[in-house]
Amino acid sequence: MEISKKILTSLIFLGLSFSLTQCSSAKGMERERQKNISYEETEDYAPSVAAAPKSAPSGETSQNTTKPQKRMMVYSVNVNLQSKEIETKVTEIVKLAESFGGFALQYSSGGSVQLKIPAEKLKQFLYTLRNQSQNYSEEVSAQDVTEDYTDTEIRMENALKMRTRLLEILKTAKTLEETLKVEAELNKVSESIDRWEGRLKYLSSAVQLSSVHVQVRQKWEPVVQKEYKPGPLGYPFYYLYLGIGKVKDGLVWLFVQEIPKEKTEIPE
């Protein structure tokens, strides 16, 4: 049995449109992966920062100008600090993270702690941890995933539209071969929808929860030598020890005298 020309033409047109959309979105996502923003370029640890509005296309009035898009930032922080008791400090850090609505992904008695902190509370969490720690240092980096998220949304919308169109075509299928052909395309589109949906959830979670890695190191205190004083029964022996030292110095003075060195005249 042959597929009707109408259904075949529709499938070819939809397939080409979907492929072109995916290719253009893929290029945008690749540019997004290469984009990293350092901590110095960000003013605050916030999940989003307003971007400059896009210029309106020629021939359109200023009323049609698109609204400023909020930037979606993923923050990552590395913290180093010192403590006398490593295990006790690790427990304190985990409890501090939980008090700010975060949680620990993993931690060890060696001092390594991996945390997830809500982005809107990240600055306050780091400020509190800094005040409660010794020899504290931190390194904050941010990645802008706005374009990646937008491209994924476009892919998702196009896939949903294509699925709707394929369902309409499926209703007009008259033969078994036509039905199987349309269902095969529907399966491909459904797989794409699941993939883009998972990507959107991942990016949203990464923006809302910042990653914080804390490394606690042992702090070594200098050894202070203590001065000991003799007790009530130790004073006689203490003075005897001092007297023996004086007698030794006297004997040395009686039998050994310092011989002055001869002065050597420097010839003129």
Side-chain angles (χ1 to χ4, degrees), residues 228-265:
Y228 295 94
K229 294 183 179 180
L233 298 179
Y235 272 102
F237 297 97
Y238 175 70
Y239 288 118
L240 178 61
Y241 170 76
L242 295 179
I244 293 175
K246 297 295 184 181
V247 172
K248 182 192 69 173
D249 294 339
L251 293 175
V252 172
W253 181 80
L254 287 175
F255 293 97
V256 180
Q257 293 183 0
E258 183 180 0
I259 302 176
K261 296 182 180 180
E262 296 182 356
K263 296 181 179 180
T264 56
E265 297 181 358

Side-chain angles (χ1 to χ4, degrees), residues 23-143:
C23 292
S24 60
S25 299
K27 292 180 180 178
M29 294 181 68
E30 183 64 24
R31 292 194 303 269
E32 183 65 29
R33 294 190 186 98
Q34 297 174 357
K35 189 185 300 181
N36 289 318
I37 298 180
S38 63
Y39 167 56
E40 288 76 8
E41 297 173 351
T42 60
E43 296 180 357
D44 200 354
Y45 318 135
S48 60
V49 179
K54 299 179 181 179
S55 59
S58 58
E60 296 184 4
T61 61
S62 59
Q63 296 179 354
N64 295 331
T65 304
T66 57
K67 295 181 179 180
Q69 186 180 21
K70 290 186 176 181
R71 311 305 299 178
M72 303 184 67
M73 311 299 296
V74 178
Y75 289 95
S76 179
V77 187
N78 289 320
V79 175
N80 288 282
L81 55 88
Q82 290 185 336
S83 177
K84 295 180 182 179
E85 300 292 337
I86 294 181
E87 293 186 15
T88 303
K89 188 63 178 179
V90 168
T91 303
E92 292 177 359
I93 293 172
V94 173
K95 291 182 179 180
L96 180 63
E98 292 175 350
S99 67
F100 281 91
F103 56 90
L105 291 177
Q106 65 177 24
Y107 57 91
S108 65
S109 59
S112 179
V113 188
Q114 190 71 33
L115 305 170
K116 285 291 186 179
I117 306 295
E120 65 274 9
K121 297 183 179 180
L122 178 61
K123 186 176 182 180
Q124 188 179 359
F125 168 78
L126 294 177
Y127 177 79
T128 305
L129 181 61
R130 184 187 304 112
N131 291 337
Q132 297 179 358
S133 305
Q134 296 177 332
N135 297 332
Y136 177 96
S137 65
E138 69 180 37
E139 180 182 354
V140 183
S141 60
Q143 182 181 7

Side-chain angles (χ1 to χ4, degrees), residues 218-233:
Q218 183 72 48
K219 182 180 181 182
W220 299 100
E221 296 289 344
V223 180
V224 180
Q225 294 183 352
K226 298 181 179 180
E227 296 183 359
Y228 295 94
K229 294 183 179 180
L233 298 179

Side-chain angles (χ1 to χ4, degrees), residues 170-210:
L170 184 61
K171 294 178 182 179
T172 62
K174 298 179 180 180
T175 64
L176 178 61
E177 187 176 359
E178 291 176 353
T179 302
L180 294 176
K181 185 69 175 180
V182 176
E183 288 180 347
E185 295 297 327
L186 274 172
N187 290 333
K188 293 180 182 178
V189 175
S190 297
E191 291 177 359
S192 298
I193 292 174
D194 292 338
R195 184 164 61 253
W196 307 142
E197 186 177 7
R199 180 65 178 172
L200 289 176
K201 290 181 179 179
Y202 167 78
L203 292 175
S204 298
S205 176
V207 170
Q208 295 173 4
L209 292 174
S210 301

